[in-house]
Amino acid sequence: MGDEREFQQAIERYTEAITLNRNNHLLFSDRSAAYARVGRFAEALEDANRCHELKPDWPKAYYRLGIALQGLGKYEDAIVAFAEGLAADPKYSSMLNGLTETMLRSPLRAVFQPKLEKFEGLKLDKDPFIITSLIGQELQTAGKLVPAMKVLEAAFSVGTESLKLEASLMQALGRVHWALGNSDRALGYMEKDLSISDTLGDAQGCLRARDNLGTAYFSVHRYHEAASHHSAQLQLAQSLGDAKEMVNALTRFGNSVAKQGNYAQAINAYKDSLKIAKDLDDQSSVYRAFMNLGETYLASGDSDKAIVWHRKHLAYAKEYKNKPEEAQAYALLGQACFSKANYDQSMMFYQQLLSVAVQMNNMELKAKAYGGMGQANRAMGNLWHAQSCREQQLKLCKDMGYQEGEMVALSQLGHLHKASGKLHLAMQCYSDSLALAQKLKDRAGEGRAYANLGSCHVSLGNFREAVNYYQQELGIAQETKDVGSEATTLGHLGTAYLALDNLEMALDHLHHSLQLAQDVKNKQVECQALSNLGAYHTNTKEYPEALPYLEKGLKLAQELKDSATESKVCHNLGLCHEALGHYQQAIQYYQHDLLVAKEAQDRDGMTQACKKLIKAHNEIGDREQADIYQRKLLSMAEEIQNTSGKCSFWNHVAEDLLNSGDYDRAIEFYENLLKEAKKEQHQSFEGLAYCGLGNAYLSRGDFDHALSYHRRDLQLRKAVSDLTGECNAYANMGAAHNSMNQHQHAVDCYEHQLTLAKQLDNPILVTKAYGCLGIVHRNMKNFKKALHYHQLQLSTALHLKENTAQQANAYANLGDTYEAVGDYQKAIANHEHNLVLAQRAQNAIMEIRALSSLGRAHRGLGNLTHALQYFLQQLKLANSMSDEYTEAECYADIGGINMLLGDYGSALDAFSHQLQLARSLEDSFSEALAACGLGEVHIRLGNYQEAVDYHKLDLRISISHGLRDGEARALGDIAQTYETIGEYKYAIEYREKQLSVAELLGDNFTKALAFIGLGKIHIKLNDVLRSVTLLKQALSLIVDQSAQEQTQVEIEVEAKIRFYLGQAFYLQGHYEPSLVCLQNALPLFEHMRQNVGSFDHGTKQTLELHPLLFQTLINVLVRLNKVEEALEAAEMERNRATTDALIGKEVQRSDLRECGLLKSYSQASSIQETIDTMHCPVLYFSVALSHIYIWLLHPKSGIVQFQKVDMSEFGLPGSDSASVFSESSSSYVQPLVETVASLRESLGVQHCSSRLAAKSMSSSISDELDSGE
């Protein structure tokens, strides 16, 4: 009790001292000792730790730590502290005593004490190196790896003069570091063990060290070093005459060289080991040799010899009645037969394995049997049976607590769910497998799980997510130095980057994959790498570059008997030769592909090969052979037993029919697909069916059905959390709404598409969504928004460096939108970018689109010759591709341009070519357009009956093929032709029919055109009241948009409506509403005049109404007693006529603008200012609708007299209505000149200005106007 009181007092004094100096390690050491003496070990540990912090290299600090930890019962930590203290001071006897005492108090006392007593007898119990080494190895044996490693490292620091003891320690350190995963440090200690043993001349030690090093290097996939050590191990075993070690060395040497692809060398080693093992009667080594020989032959591609050796294994096991080895042999035979694609035989061996497993009541073997049966069932297409087997395998592994097997079963179940299209279930299995791998710290298993998840995301189209998973897989392969897996993963990344159109990254990864595969001589991975590179160059249309990779890949695939890769390579070789025009070679490769697919019972491969053979035979005109393969293709559906095969078949055929334009048959096949997918709950194919049906109905023009199927597709994609599928479904729904003119619904869909694309971080989908939003806003006449979205589309596409298709599409959309707003210069600039990209990509389809767009834009700009050149280039390119559909479109554009140029003969030739091609192609749409074009040309030529005949042909074709837009167009053209020749009864009949069709279409623009046509005819028939009603209806349909958002065509139509409505009100005597209409029409006509170079023949005809607009306006103003405003209108018309006359003489608008001629005197005050400068009265006159109006203006006084004279005074017609549609009033010119001259002389005034509403005037009048001004 007294001692305890003394220690307590000591603690108090140390505490006071520490308060004064907290950095004195001695004070903390002494207080820790005092705390320990009174049993306060927690405080003792705290002070010991503080002491160690202040003086890390002081041995006594370790001692204090050891005592405190020992007192707390933390024996392993105490042992480490004492051992590390000895490393700091090997002569510290109390430290060694503490280490020994702690071991004797620990749970390891029972195994340690006998050995300690033995060392005491040898008087070695006080040797710090021996005791520390002994304790480290005991901890290692007990599985206490971290403390074992620390104690052994301490022993190494303590050191010894005995090389033999040091070699033993190196061996122990190598083992413990290896067990902890510190492979580099472990290999370092193992190399030291070998070096010491070699120095000692210890052959057995060298043998052991070589074996350890070879095994370690093999484990980290450094097979060359492993083979080198095992070769040296073999030589040592031979020199020692140790037959058992020779077997061991031969086996491990064989394993190492087999991993390098040196199968012949491995086989020889295994055969040598088998011979020695038999001589030794070493049954376990004999079994191992049989197994290795079979597996090596299988790896080399010789499955027949593999089966031979596995059968020998089976016979040997049966001879010696060794059930475990019999089971192993059945498993190996099942795998060998599976590799040979002999799935029935494989199934039989796995069933025999199951029988043996049941006899042995071995759950692990049962699990293996079910796994093999699942594998065979899946290969035979029996997915349900395969799933059942894998589920049984999973249950057995869970019951056993066999997590490694559970992980494998989950992965395989994931593969089955993926094959069944149940991707969400597949991803769940792969995620569970990943979690188990992480729990087990199985880095290879973790890598496989990441690869599977990446593959799932590829199937979903989530390529960026796939890249993330593949990069994690790559990191593991590099960390574990598994070069084969690294090469495979690089291939996966390359194909994913290719799908993302990141061509630079794709090519880099694919080349790296090939290089690594060749470095490690892994022929299987090399074969896949060659195939991937060939596929890359095929995809990028670099066909000559693809061929060498594909040819080498084919040779290697045949050598390895890899039918899947062989089929894929043959397919791509066929594509390359077909693209290069080598059809016979393409056919040979497709036939090879078909044969390989047939041998492998690959229905998908057979389907694809048949389709390619049909296409290739059609290309060379061999219809008979094409029909043979077509019949073969259709017969396959009856032969297919498994659901996936049937669904895949229906989908492939439906896609081909849809692409070829056979929409009805495509729908039939998609319905078969949907029925089969629903029956088997195959959600992936069900989604494809909904999508395909939607697209087929959309192509057929049945938009309601299309929308319905795309909505079902969307619901399904949401249910399975398929974000990419959901994104595409919204895009398809947007297209359907857009086709139905339900533009706001389309916008909503495309905005959903954009949100999902951004969520997926998929720039290609984002680019497409921007493009769709731009197009629908263009259709809604929201041109600012359209340009905004297309500019976003372009900026996003430009970040996809190698994706020229997306960039070209963005430039094309921008060009189309600028064209829609009449900014043809910007349209041309964007279309030129599009053309450059198309030519750089050597993409003829893109180039054709660009040339067509440039032709249209130049036509809009009035550069008809340039437009014609682009259309001719487009025709030449289409001709070189034998693309008759595009040829027909080109002839339509060429005909239109020639018609505008007045070259009616060439126009007739072009439209006739279009008509002929359309008929041969059975393209009713193009045939109808050609008939329309021919009708237009004949109208220009004055051949009205021929024009009516062709327009009626257009009508018949459109009605018979359900082309409602064409029907409305043809009815309008027929009506216009009848109106031109004065057949108003027929004109009204066809306009009313046009109106009915437009109602059915919900096409407000065409309805407006029909109302205008009817209104105009009723004016001519003097039914003004009816005309006003009709024209008001037309106006209500066309003025929904502001002028800024209207197209040029809509501006023109609105101008015509307001003009004719103003005329009708004028003839009705309703001058106020007439004035409003005419004044509103003026800025629209002026807009057209300012852009006159941008309009075609029809718009120029509309501009011929401009003089009549001013004439009517002047008359209306006079009748409303607005004399000054009438004068302003007359002056505006004078300015218009002068400008048009000068432009007609090829004076540039810019020159006129600079000299002020485009600026009119739009106010009476401006006119008066000019008169004031003349200091004399001025007579101003204007002719408008059979009246002459005369203003007498005085300086300072303004208008002092106004007169109007009826034209009938000249003996000419005086009806206002007769003048409304007058094309020329040149007959008024001479009488008018005489009258004005007479008035001028009688009044004694100067002549300032006059303007006649005539298309032409005599030179004497022109001269007088010039001199008067």
Side-chain angles (χ1 to χ4, degrees), residues 1142 1147 1149-1159:
L1142 290 169
V1147 178
R1149 282 184 172 274
S1150 56
D1151 297 334
L1152 295 175
R1153 200 171 281 113
E1154 285 177 13
C1155 66
L1157 282 177
L1158 289 184
K1159 180 180 178 182

Side-chain angles (χ1 to χ4, degrees), residues 409-695:
L410 281 166
S411 294
Q412 294 301 325
L413 267 172
H415 296 339
L416 288 166
H417 287 311
K418 186 183 171 196
S420 301
K422 299 169 184 175
L423 294 174
H424 62 297
L425 291 176
M427 291 182 77
Q428 185 59 57
C429 287
Y430 294 146
S431 297
D432 291 346
S433 170
L434 175 63
L436 272 174
Q438 290 171 334
K439 181 180 177 182
L440 294 166
K441 296 182 179 177
D442 178 356
R443 295 295 278 162
E446 198 176 336
R448 287 191 295 272
Y450 283 129
N452 291 332
L453 284 163
S455 176
C456 244
H457 281 286
V458 167
S459 298
L460 287 167
N462 304 336
F463 297 110
R464 288 203 173 277
E465 279 295 313
V467 165
N468 291 337
Y469 282 113
Y470 287 144
Q471 284 174 337
Q472 291 184 77
E473 181 195 7
L474 180 63
I476 290 171
Q478 290 171 337
E479 174 195 322
T480 58
K481 296 181 173 61
D482 185 347
V483 182
S485 294
E486 184 181 354
T488 302
T489 309
L490 286 165
H492 291 157
L493 277 164
T495 52
Y497 279 123
L498 179 60
L500 287 167
D501 282 308
N502 190 336
L503 302 185
E504 186 179 344
M505 289 288 282
L507 191 58
D508 181 57
H509 281 78
L510 293 175
H511 274 304
H512 194 183
S513 171
L514 177 61
Q515 186 62 57
L516 282 179
Q518 290 172 337
D519 288 348
V520 296
K521 298 181 181 178
N522 187 324
K523 290 189 176 182
Q524 193 67 53
V525 179
E526 182 183 355
C527 180
Q528 190 58 55
L530 288 165
S531 172
N532 287 339
L533 277 163
Y536 168 89
H537 288 294
T538 305
N539 186 277
T540 56
K541 297 182 173 57
E542 297 165 336
Y543 303 114
E545 290 84 347
L547 289 174
Y549 291 113
L550 294 171
E551 286 161 358
K552 288 177 186 175
L554 178 59
K555 185 178 178 182
L556 202 50
Q558 289 171 328
E559 180 187 326
L560 295 169
K561 298 184 180 177
D562 181 351
S563 58
T565 305
E566 185 179 355
S567 177
K568 190 190 303 181
V569 169
C570 283
H571 177 80
N572 283 328
L573 277 164
L575 288 176
C576 288
H577 282 292
E578 186 179 348
L580 293 167
H582 309 153
Y583 295 112
Q584 289 297 344
Q585 286 168 282
I587 286 169
Q588 288 173 11
Y589 281 116
Y590 291 143
Q591 287 172 336
H592 189 156
D593 182 16
L594 179 61
L595 182 64
V596 172
K598 190 173 181 180
E599 287 176 355
Q601 301 175 35
D602 178 4
R603 295 288 175 181
D604 281 353
M606 290 167 68
T607 302
Q608 288 289 352
C610 276
K611 289 194 296 184
K612 288 299 175 185
L613 281 162
I614 292 165
K615 183 174 181 290
H617 280 295
N618 278 326
E619 291 284 356
I620 61 173
D622 191 347
R623 308 293 182 196
E624 185 178 345
Q625 279 296 318
D627 288 342
I628 289 171
Y629 284 111
Q630 182 71 52
R631 287 193 295 273
K632 186 176 290 189
L633 184 66
L634 293 173
S635 69
M636 285 181 197
E638 303 302 322
E639 301 170 10
I640 301 171
Q641 298 301 314
N642 66 84
T643 302
S644 291
K646 275 190 179 179
C647 288
S648 181
F649 174 82
W650 296 127
N651 186 50
H652 284 316
V653 175
E655 277 182 354
D656 280 353
L657 290 168
L658 180 61
N659 292 332
S660 67
D662 192 345
Y663 306 128
D664 292 335
R665 291 189 67 210
I667 287 168
E668 179 187 338
F669 276 91
Y670 277 127
E671 284 172 345
N672 286 334
L673 169 62
L674 181 60
K675 182 180 176 182
E676 192 72 27
K678 278 186 167 181
K679 183 175 77 174
E680 299 295 334
Q681 297 184 329
H682 201 311
Q683 292 171 317
S684 177
F685 279 116
E686 187 180 347
L688 287 173
Y690 286 135
C691 180
L693 282 163
N695 290 334

Side-chain angles (χ1 to χ4, degrees), residues 880-944:
S880 70
M881 295 172 62
S882 301
D883 183 353
E884 293 183 327
Y885 287 97
T886 303
E887 282 185 61
E889 291 174 12
C890 294
Y891 278 121
D893 288 323
I894 290 165
I897 292 292
N898 280 315
M899 187 164 61
L900 293 175
L901 288 167
D903 187 350
Y904 299 125
S906 296
L908 286 172
D909 286 344
F911 287 127
S912 297
H913 271 103
Q914 181 191 6
L915 186 64
Q916 184 181 353
L917 276 169
R919 284 173 173 168
S920 70
L921 294 166
E922 297 181 1
D923 184 348
S924 53
F925 180 77
S926 183
E927 186 182 358
L929 284 178
C932 172
L934 286 163
E936 286 288 326
V937 179
H938 280 294
I939 287 177
R940 305 286 176 91
L941 290 168
N943 303 331
Y944 298 113

Side-chain angles (χ1 to χ4, degrees), residues 936-975:
E936 286 288 326
V937 179
H938 280 294
I939 287 177
R940 305 286 176 91
L941 290 168
N943 303 331
Y944 298 113
Q945 189 54 54
E946 288 89 339
V948 168
D949 290 343
Y950 276 115
H951 286 314
K952 285 186 176 178
L953 173 61
D954 178 13
L955 180 62
R956 287 196 301 275
I957 296 166
S958 297
I959 291 172
S960 65
H961 291 88
L963 304 172
R964 288 291 189 182
D965 287 333
E967 186 181 349
R969 176 193 65 236
L971 289 165
D973 289 338
I974 295 168

Side-chain angles (χ1 to χ4, degrees), residues 123-188:
K123 298 187 178 180
L124 295 173
D125 59 313
K126 300 302 181 185
D127 187 319
F129 177 83
I130 290 176
I131 296 302
T132 310
S133 298
L134 172 63
I135 291 171
Q137 290 180 56
E138 292 302 327
L139 288 168
Q140 182 182 354
T141 304
K144 311 293 184 181
L145 298 178
V146 174
M149 179 268 292
K150 291 180 178 178
V151 172
L152 289 170
E153 291 282 5
F156 181 64
S157 296
V158 170
T160 179
E161 293 180 359
S162 170
L163 288 175
K164 194 162 188 178
L165 289 175
E166 187 179 349
S168 175
L169 177 64
M170 294 302 104
Q171 184 184 359
L173 276 165
R175 284 199 303 267
V176 76
H177 275 292
W178 187 261
L180 286 168
N182 305 329
S183 56
D184 288 338
R185 294 195 70 183
L187 287 166

